[in-house]
Amino acid sequence: MKTQIILAALIVSTWATTAQQTGKAYEQSIPGTDLTVSMKPIPGGSFTMGSPKNDEGPVHKVSVDAFWMGEFEITWDLYQLFMSREIDVDRPAKAAGSEVSLDIDAVSGATTPYVEMSFGMGTDGYPAVCMTQYAASKFCEWLSAMTGNFYRLPTEAEWEYACKAGTDSDYSFGNDPYQLNEYAWSANNSQDKYQKVGTKKPNPWGLHDMHGNVAEWTLDQYAPYSKASQNNPFIKPTKTYPRSVRGGSYMDDPDQLRSSARTKSEKGWKVRDPQIPKSKWWHTDAQFVGFRVVRPVKTPSAQAQKSYWKQKH
């Protein structure tokens, strides 16, 4: 059975490499499981980032290279594999993909939280929440080591570009917030809890829950935008707070779910953490924050890969 799983992983990984070259969607298998991460192709291009509202300006021109983005937010089913690390032994001696060469034992694992972090809202098929940006990046490193393909968090520019999906309206479906119920879980319809991923309509590029359900980590330090046109912008974090979170959540009003809306992390997200020092893995009071992964078409060097995974926590 184990041999069959490894062979299946090799086949899917080969298909994933082909998909990367041809711009097709693919399913990334995880050795030792029947779970996959569904990846959608995001074409490279330019867009207008930001809006005149609040801290979302100045509006400026941004270009990004092509990448793949997770169709769904990472669920507890997947995140718990990273937490337990029981399937690490099922990774082939040589990972199926060829983009990453990394010893799985070298990847740090998340500490066990002192409370159940789904807070009774659901696990199987539901988005994982409460992790720090550091923990989300470590999941990406672990996924990369397991598969041999390079995964990371999206930059803030990549996230907004993928959310807008070629549109220039408040939301990926237009400007009418009354249509939001068809595409998003917000404070208006969520019953104060996150919902299973993929139960609302996707945006034009096939991505679900970019508006609402849970907000999502990006790689960037939260900082004012520049007026200048930029190519693949990324503000590398130099301090723990604030970091950039996008998309809004099941707790937010429609205005906070707009494609350009921004949120910044804060120390208050750890208020109930009793540890001294506070955990670098968990935000006990951020039951509304999760993440999704991306895979760039242009694989960065091994040194650059590590820089994406090992941000200051």
Side-chain angles (χ1 to χ4, degrees):
M1 180 65 178
K2 182 176 178 180
T3 301
Q4 292 176 329
I5 291 173
I6 293 173
L7 287 173
L10 287 168
I11 292 170
V12 173
S13 181
T14 300
W15 182 47
T17 301
T18 302
Q20 185 187 36
Q21 294 169 348
T22 59
K24 295 180 180 178
Y26 70 93
E27 300 287 330
Q28 175 65 69
S29 65
I30 302 175
T33 80
D34 59 359
L35 297 177
T36 62
V37 182
S38 178
M39 302 297 294
K40 292 290 188 180
I42 309 299
S46 299
F47 76 112
T48 302
M49 186 171 182
S51 83
K53 299 192 67 170
N54 303 324
D55 295 326
E56 299 164 15
V59 173
H60 57 294
K61 202 76 171 179
V62 167
S63 297
V64 296
D65 293 336
F67 59 97
W68 273 255
M69 184 175 239
E71 180 179 0
F72 310 109
E73 294 154 339
I74 293 296
T75 61
W76 281 116
D77 319 52
L78 294 165
Y79 198 72
Q80 285 170 344
L81 296 176
F82 164 64
M83 289 172 59
S84 69
R85 305 295 292 272
E86 294 176 0
I87 66 165
D88 286 11
V89 296
D90 294 315
R91 177 188 178 273
K94 179 174 174 53
S98 60
E99 297 174 356
V100 174
S101 179
L102 183 65
D103 182 357
I104 192 69
D105 293 331
V107 182
S108 301
T111 57
T112 302
Y114 82 99
V115 294
E116 199 277 302
M117 287 296 184
S118 76
F119 293 90
M121 291 187 283
T123 54
D124 293 351
Y126 290 86
V129 295
C130 293
M131 75 291 294
T132 61
Q133 187 206 52
Y134 174 81
S137 287
K138 285 299 178 183
F139 172 91
C140 295
E141 183 179 16
W142 172 81
L143 181 63
S144 300
M146 287 293 289
T147 64
N149 296 322
F150 175 65
Y151 292 97
R152 60 167 170 77
L153 294 177
T155 65
E156 190 171 10
E158 288 170 339
W159 193 98
E160 185 171 327
Y161 176 69
C163 182
K164 288 184 172 179
T167 68
D168 197 25
S169 48
D170 286 345
Y171 306 94
S172 62
F173 53 83
N175 293 315
D176 184 3
Y178 289 102
Q179 295 183 41
L180 196 60
N181 280 351
E182 299 179 39
Y183 295 86
W185 295 106
S186 69
N188 290 347
N189 62 359
S190 69
Q191 298 180 327
D192 296 321
K193 59 182 182 179
Y194 58 58
Q195 304 292 328
K196 282 193 174 183
V197 302
T199 54
K200 293 293 187 179
K201 290 181 180 179
N203 77 359
W205 286 348
L207 303 173
H208 292 265
D209 301 311
M210 293 295 283
H211 305 295
N213 206 17
V214 296
E216 300 174 14
W217 284 112
T218 71
L219 277 172
D220 295 59
Q221 189 85 55
Y222 184 98
Y225 292 148
S226 167
K227 294 180 180 180
S229 297
Q230 299 173 68
N231 185 44
N232 295 312
F234 166 46
I235 303 175
K236 186 175 181 178
T238 57
K239 54 185 179 180
T240 303
Y241 300 102
R243 306 285 174 91
S244 180
V245 178
R246 301 299 298 261
S249 78
Y250 67 93
M251 300 174 67
D252 293 322
D253 293 327
D255 188 63
Q256 295 169 285
L257 273 61
R258 291 174 297 102
S259 300
S260 297
R262 310 174 76 201
T263 301
K264 54 187 175 183
S265 65
E266 54 187 64
K267 292 181 179 179
W269 291 4
K270 291 183 186 288
V271 166
R272 285 181 284 182
D273 184 350
Q275 301 175 90
I276 301 175
K278 301 286 189 180
S279 172
K280 65 182 181 182
W281 296 100
W282 299 103
H283 279 309
T284 50
D285 297 79
Q287 300 98 328
F288 48 85
V289 176
F291 69 102
R292 71 180 75 212
V293 301
V294 301
R295 179 186 178 191
V297 167
K298 297 177 182 177
T299 305
S301 67
Q303 183 177 359
Q305 290 174 11
K306 292 178 181 178
S307 71
Y308 288 118
W309 297 325
K310 296 185 178 180
Q311 300 294 338
K312 177 182 175 65
H313 57 76

